[in-house]
Amino acid sequence: MTRARTSPVRVGVFGLLGSGNLGNDGSLEAVLGHLGERHPEAVVDALCGGPETVAARYGIRATRLHWYRGEYRTASRATAIAAKGLGKLVDAVRTAAWVRRHDVVIVPGMGVLEATLPLRPWGFPYALFLLCASGRLFGTRVALVSVGAGPIGSPATRTLIRWSARLAAYRSYRDPQSRHALRAMGVDTARDEVYPDLAFALPTPPPGASPRRPGTVCLGVMDFHGSDDERDRAEEIHRRYVDGATRFVRALVAEGRPVRLLTGDGADAAVVAAILGAVDSPLVTAAEADSLADLMRETAAADVVVATRYHNLVCALKVGTPTLALSYAAKSDALMARMGLDAYCHPARAVDADRLLGQFRALEAASADVRRTLTERNRTAVRQLEHQFTVLGTTLFPTTDHARALRETR
């Protein structure tokens, strides 16, 4: 017989949330929406990168992820190195204490099991390992929900990611490649499922919220320097990417097309500035988006979207706008394939403005068919995520009383 609850379930959310990445925050928003709808009694708080932002925006208590505030800055002075080292010890205690206070901890989406961008093992991978190890120690169920994963070259990072995944109570992935990557690392993924990215569960702006701007092209840019394994070529990759994107914008402007520049992270502003500086035209403007909802409104108003960041793509696809991916990782290709647009991918590492323009014109020519395809694929994505939320409810929440009793005996 199930024992009646005597107090609300305590749910933690964990990740680089509130740190300026709109995709991460959109994933959090989707999970908070699910909890509010299906578990309104839950008491929710966060251990995250930007606690002030999360607390102000979402109205939940939030604690800083790292004790040392300079965690993601390169340490060169002895005092900074010592502070970082001390921070690792302090964070082990802080994370364990935070996890112990919860029945369930959810890591909402994000590419937490990948290294498609530069990543140090003792930064976020170490923090994730502390979370999952603490969850196993104290009986708190840690759920990695619709997360991204990929091959990892660094042995230290790969080991931390492997053990984080093994120690989690629940895992699901946002594409089949992510599940395969974990299996290749030695994680048993036989019971793990693949679902769409959590952002597909967010509400779509109502009709009329984004008046169409005929002829407008949205270009989503990224401060792209290659993957963690390409650090030696980072500047070359970045230069080629910006030069290719700039040439593409010039070609559109030459045809009289308005171009709207989009970002998905605060770091992307430098690329916007570079393009605006190189293309002096009133046809090129920069959007100010503070959320995925803002990005959806921008992309809904455009005729076509060409985008690099994963969640720029998600937003454009979700509102049904014909979309072309400047793909920098397998996750982008997988997303486009899921939505029936795998023919419209272009490598971000080798942007060829002429070839990109040809793909862009082909996409425009197929616009009506593409919009119909996206309508159906979006319905499927929503149904699949509804199923995942049902699974989460039955998998995570019935065990919370037992988990609490286990912690109280330790």
Side-chain angles (χ1 to χ4, degrees), residues 55-372:
R57 181 173 294 174
Y58 303 109
I60 62 175
R61 292 182 59 185
T63 303
R64 186 171 299 280
L65 179 59
H66 300 290
W67 172 78
Y68 179 56
R69 290 175 179 260
E71 176 60 41
Y72 294 105
R73 294 194 297 267
T74 300
S76 55
R77 299 180 61 178
T79 52
I81 294 172
K84 270 197 171 186
L86 176 61
K88 304 306 172 191
L89 300 176
V90 174
D91 285 344
V93 176
R94 292 174 69 251
T95 302
W98 183 82
V99 169
R100 189 174 184 177
R101 294 196 296 269
H102 295 83
D103 300 303
V104 174
V105 174
I106 296 174
V107 180
M110 305 177 285
V112 296
L113 305 178
E114 65 184 38
T116 53
L117 299 175
L119 183 70
R120 299 293 187 187
W122 304 113
F124 187 78
Y126 174 70
L128 184 66
F129 170 74
L130 291 178
L131 171 77
C132 295
S134 298
R136 181 62 65 91
L137 177 64
F138 296 117
T140 299
R141 297 180 68 80
V142 175
L144 310 180
V145 182
S146 287
V147 297
I152 297 173
S154 164
T157 302
R158 188 168 59 248
T159 298
L160 289 166
I161 292 298
R162 179 193 304 121
W163 278 103
S164 296
R166 284 176 173 172
L167 292 169
Y170 173 91
R171 296 181 299 268
S172 67
Y173 311 98
R174 62 189 179 189
D175 52 57
Q177 290 90 329
S178 294
R179 181 168 59 184
H180 177 74
L182 262 292
R183 185 184 302 126
M185 289 185 210
V187 178
D188 181 3
T189 62
R191 299 180 181 178
D192 300 351
E193 297 292 339
V194 174
Y195 295 99
D197 186 84
L198 288 171
F200 281 102
L202 292 172
T204 304
S210 307
R212 289 288 298 277
R213 295 190 289 263
T216 297
V217 179
C218 281
L219 175 63
V221 300
M222 178 178 178
D223 187 30
F224 179 56
H225 293 78
S227 72
D228 192 53
D229 297 328
E230 297 172 307
R231 289 176 180 268
D232 58 333
R233 298 194 301 119
E235 290 310 312
E236 174 195 349
I237 290 171
H238 181 68
R239 184 177 61 255
R240 291 183 64 181
Y241 169 76
V242 175
D243 287 350
T246 301
R247 288 195 299 272
F248 178 63
V249 171
R250 284 200 183 105
L252 293 174
V253 168
E255 296 179 359
R257 301 292 294 265
V259 179
R260 191 82 163 146
L261 301 177
L262 308 179
T263 61
D265 191 286
D268 302 336
V271 179
V272 170
I275 294 174
L276 290 175
V279 185
D280 184 13
S281 169
L283 290 174
V284 185
T285 57
E288 294 184 3
D290 294 324
S291 67
L292 293 193
D294 290 343
L295 285 176
M296 281 190 266
R297 282 188 285 270
E298 289 285 347
T299 55
D303 281 358
V304 178
V305 175
V306 180
T308 310
R309 279 201 180 272
Y310 184 85
H311 282 97
N312 278 194
L313 293 172
V314 169
C315 288
L317 295 167
K318 182 170 171 55
V319 298
T321 301
T323 302
L324 198 160
L326 288 176
S327 177
Y328 71 93
K331 61 184 179 183
S332 301
D333 297 334
L335 171 64
M336 296 296 282
R338 174 189 284 274
M339 302 303 287
L341 299 185
D342 43 319
Y344 301 105
C345 294
H346 190 95
R349 289 170 176 77
V351 178
D352 181 325
D354 292 334
R355 178 168 166 257
L356 180 59
L357 197 59
Q359 289 179 288
F360 168 81
R361 286 171 175 154
L363 178 61
E364 273 204 309
S367 177
D369 288 340
V370 166
R371 288 181 182 274
R372 283 192 291 270

